Amino acid sequence: MKQSNKATRGIKRNHVIIGVLAAIGFSIAFYTCNIGFDKKEAAKNEITPLTKHWEKAIPHQEIPVGLTSISAESCGACHQEIYQEWKQSTHAVAFQDLQFQAEWKKDDILTCLNCHTPLQNQQEFIVKGLINGDYKTPLKEPNPRFDKKLQLESITCATCHVRGGNVIGTIGTINAPHKTVKDPEFLSEKLCVSCHNVIDELNPVLVCTFETGDEWENNWAKKSGKTCISCHMPEIERPVSTGMKKQLSHFHNFPGSGIPKFFDTEAKKLESLEIEESSIKEMYLVGETIDYVLKLKNSFAGHSVPTGDPERFFVITFRLMDGHGKMIKEVEHRIGEEWQWYPVAKKLSDNNLKPLEERVYNFKYDIKKQGMLTFTVEIAKHRMTEENAKYNGILGKYPLSIEVFKKQYCIKTE
Ligand code: HEC
Ligand code: HEC
Ligand code: HEC
Ligand code: HEC
Ligand code: HEC
């Protein structure tokens, strides 16, 4: 999700007083402390119903028979390995994520929570509609069953596995101590796509643009039966629960970009790029040309790369330095989207690598004098720009990029 940097500054807030609202019901005009907002205007307010799936929380879930809690921690008592894998995933910290906290707090947009803490149990408020269709003024009431601890588990086991008093699985086991139903259709890529594919405008400066599902729809991956789950939840043979016999299981770390969320941790990465280089000689003569070609192909991802969050990008850097470490020539290329966020959010360009798309980068340099040269090729994947991190007040607190590829060549020139 990306929000305008400029537009959110100086916005007048409609502070709806919840107590009053709850007491009088929502057909009556509400109290507001917005300057210049008189009673006549208030009467014009209309409640817009929530119609899109991501505008609503997943309804409150009860504890399935046989269990005492739906927290991931409690599932982890028996599903230990799966719990440990999930705990290291970005799903497990989608709420605590520093950028998320910085962004959604700006305008308290409760809609954001529907994908980051999706169960109603995890949300402090029940949202019934939007006042005048504005996401910044939801018609809300306190949730008496709000579970603060579950909120901190973000996209938790129960998000994907608990519905209507059942644990949903794909095995059809008879060995579970909890009520279980088999529903492979529910636990398919449709579940992933419900959050990973939303293209909508919340308001002119706030847009949702995750197109990973659509990108996957029409390419080799889908045709060959590769889904979000087969790539991001690879199969492993192991006991699914402590003390049980080995069977087919799925890795629950949801590896992706590999950019960690915290400085002292590592994130598992999936490789999307097939990288091919032309050769570099050890020695060149003055007058000769270094002519280096780097070929990148999105061979392994079933969608564009980067995908999802429009702030992500790759940077390819070529650097030629002399024997004293002085820069002779530096060239940078970027793969990603570029957006204008103000006065209206608009995509300006997009050179993301489509599935199986190939791109060729060329570096040329005419050797002018004798000596030693160092040539470096680097590919880095970035979560966001330093400028955006600074704006969100998280620069220095949040890992922004990882190195995907690095090669260094020492070249003698005569
Ligand atoms: C309830 C919404 C929701 C569902 C369902 C969901 N995701 Fe996610 N997913 C997210 C959010 C939000 C993030 C980002 C978390 C963050 O970065 O803080 C994310 C992050 C990811 C990432 C990590 C991206 C990275 O590199 O940082 C991968 C991979 C991923 N999801 C795959 C999947 C797959 C596969 C499924 C289906 C089995 C799935 N997701 C289901 C919301 C969801
Ligand atoms: C007291 C131990 C225990 C707890 C707690 C527990 N489970 Fe299980 N679960 C099991 C056992 C045992 C199985 C069956 C494993 C087998 O068949 O090998 C199982 C099976 C499953 C399955 C597969 C079902 C199928 O048929 O596909 C899922 C999914 C699952 N559990 C999710 C959860 C979730 C989510 C929680 C927490 C809300 C949880 N479990 C809590 C012991 C437990
Ligand atoms: C983002 C969704 C998502 C989350 C979060 C998630 N799972 Fe799963 N889980 C799945 C999917 C999808 C499958 C089935 C994959 C298949 O069979 O194709 C699965 C399978 C399982 C199974 C069956 C054995 C296996 O590995 O295939 C168990 C048990 C299980 N999950 C437990 C858990 C527990 C415990 C947690 C929390 C610690 C958890 N899951 C979190 C999506 C999720
Ligand atoms: C054929 C394998 C494959 C399939 C199918 C696939 N992915 Fe991916 N996905 C990858 C690889 C590889 C990456 C790593 C991209 C990179 O950073 O190089 C990735 C990265 C991601 C990311 C991180 C975004 C980024 O650019 O950093 C998300 C989120 C994601 N995938 C979600 C999904 C969802 C949702 C689906 C299903 C609609 C899906 N993927 C289907 C292989 C796959
Ligand atoms: C429809 C579901 C959905 C809604 C609603 C939603 N998000 Fe997300 N969010 C996602 C998914 C999916 C990802 C992971 C995208 C990826 O990695 O490709 C994500 C990732 C993020 C990230 C992490 C980006 C990164 O680079 O790791 C931030 C920050 C974020 N969202 C903020 C917000 C804010 C603020 C709102 C409300 C204005 C919001 N989200 C609403 C689904 C959603």
Side-chain angles (χ1 to χ4, degrees):
M1 178 78 47
K2 178 62 191 153
Q3 199 169 346
S4 156
N5 287 357
K6 293 201 189 84
T8 47
R9 288 176 198 154
I11 275 176
K12 280 194 286 177
R13 280 168 181 256
N14 264 351
H15 283 293
V16 179
I17 306 299
I18 307 126
V20 176
L21 250 185
I24 60 180
F26 45 87
S27 56
I28 303 170
F30 52 89
Y31 175 79
T32 156
C33 56
N34 201 16
I35 307 152
F37 201 91
D38 61 24
K39 282 204 184 90
K40 224 166 91 201
E41 250 185 288
K44 277 189 282 177
N45 286 315
E46 275 176 23
I47 306 306
T48 318
L50 307 173
T51 51
K52 296 159 187 154
H53 77 276
W54 50 267
E55 290 182 317
K56 301 174 211 166
I58 298 171
H60 179 88
Q61 296 300 318
E62 298 292 347
I63 303 167
V65 172
L67 297 174
T68 53
S69 162
I70 57 164
S71 77
E73 204 182 354
S74 73
C75 313
C78 302
H79 301 291
Q80 282 173 16
E81 272 186 41
I82 291 181
Y83 173 66
Q84 289 307 332
E85 290 157 10
W86 165 83
K87 227 180 148 188
Q88 308 296 319
S89 74
T90 51
H91 281 157
V93 291
F95 177 70
Q96 297 92 320
D97 181 80
L98 290 181
Q99 188 194 0
F100 179 75
Q101 284 299 328
E103 284 184 0
W104 90 282
K105 283 283 170 62
K106 266 176 225 152
D107 291 306
D108 272 337
I109 297 186
L110 297 176
T111 315
C112 305
L113 301 175
N114 296 333
C115 295
H116 289 255
T117 56
L119 299 178
Q120 184 63 71
N121 316 37
Q122 298 176 291
Q123 300 186 16
E124 199 174 348
F125 297 102
I126 299 171
V127 178
K128 301 263 172 134
L130 303 173
I131 296 164
N132 289 337
D134 189 344
Y135 289 90
K136 292 193 205 108
T137 53
L139 179 65
K140 59 180 186 177
E141 57 186 53
N143 176 8
R145 294 185 287 183
F146 171 52
D147 181 341
K148 175 86 195 157
K149 210 173 147 217
L150 200 63
Q151 180 186 47
L152 297 177
E153 290 186 354
S154 307
I155 299 163
T156 182
C157 315
T159 311
C160 300
H161 285 293
V162 176
R163 290 295 183 280
N166 295 301
V167 171
I168 300 178
T170 55
I171 304 168
T173 183
I174 48 159
N175 300 320
H178 44 70
K179 204 164 165 237
T180 309
V181 296
K182 183 176 169 177
D183 191 349
E185 175 78 6
F186 176 81
L187 278 178
S188 70
E189 69 282 350
K190 287 185 191 148
L191 177 67
C192 319
V193 168
S194 70
C195 294
H196 284 272
N197 201 75
V198 171
I199 301 122
D200 227 310
E201 185 186 295
L202 276 71
N203 63 45
V205 294
L206 182 57
V207 290
C208 246
T209 67
F210 303 116
E211 302 179 59
T212 309
D214 288 347
E215 290 164 5
W216 168 79
E217 275 296 330
N218 288 309
N219 71 68
W220 67 271
K222 187 182 179 190
K223 283 180 202 124
S224 61
K226 291 253 180 209
T227 67
C228 316
I229 293 167
S230 49
C231 289
H232 289 283
M233 298 185 75
E235 295 179 353
I236 352 168
E237 192 81 24
R238 63 167 168 198
V240 157
S241 176
T242 319
M244 303 303 284
K245 63 176 189 334
K246 277 190 184 179
Q247 61 169 305
L248 187 67
S249 178
H250 296 82
F251 188 55
H252 269 68
N253 180 259
F254 305 94
S257 67
I259 310 170
K261 293 280 176 180
F262 309 98
F263 282 117
D264 52 353
T265 57
E266 263 182 44
K268 297 237 167 11
K269 173 156 179 43
L270 291 182
E271 293 303 337
S272 58
L273 299 178
E274 193 175 336
I275 302 171
E276 215 183 288
E277 297 177 280
S278 67
S279 58
I280 288 263
K281 293 190 293 184
E282 278 173 27
M283 206 191 75
Y284 286 79
L285 298 174
V286 172
E288 263 191 300
T289 302
I290 299 176
D291 189 353
Y292 172 83
V293 178
L294 180 74
K295 224 191 260 176
L296 302 184
K297 185 174 178 187
N298 175 6
S299 293
F300 310 117
H303 42 68
S304 299
V305 285
T307 185
D309 191 328
E311 290 180 276
R312 299 196 180 194
F313 59 98
F314 286 99
V315 175
I316 298 115
T317 314
F318 299 123
R319 250 180 237 119
L320 188 69
M321 300 207 272
D322 70 11
H324 308 287
K326 203 178 135 233
M327 190 72 71
I328 300 173
K329 184 175 177 181
E330 186 177 35
V331 185
E332 262 187 19
H333 300 278
R334 186 181 189 276
I335 301 177
E337 299 174 19
E338 266 165 340
W339 281 72
Q340 156 198 303
W341 300 106
Y342 190 78
V344 288
K346 200 168 87 184
K347 194 198 272 191
L348 301 175
S349 70
D350 177 347
N351 71 349
N352 288 339
L353 275 180
K354 311 276 174 297
L356 300 185
E357 188 181 345
E358 188 178 277
R359 204 158 297 156
V360 176
Y361 298 96
N362 189 205
F363 180 90
K364 278 191 184 178
Y365 181 74
D366 300 326
I367 306 291
K368 295 188 182 72
K369 55 180 183 187
Q370 295 181 344
M372 291 298 292
L373 299 176
T374 317
F375 178 57
T376 315
V377 184
E378 221 175 276
I379 307 176
K381 175 120 188 214
H382 293 254
R383 190 181 285 295
M384 67 175 108
T385 59
E386 286 200 355
E387 191 194 354
N388 270 345
K390 208 178 281 170
Y391 174 72
N392 281 314
I394 57 177
L395 188 65
K397 298 181 191 156
Y398 196 63
L400 296 185
S401 65
I402 51 161
E403 189 181 288
V404 175
F405 176 88
K406 187 168 178 176
K407 272 276 182 76
Q408 201 162 61
Y409 297 95
C410 291
I411 302 168
K412 228 163 116 188
T413 62
E414 284 187 4

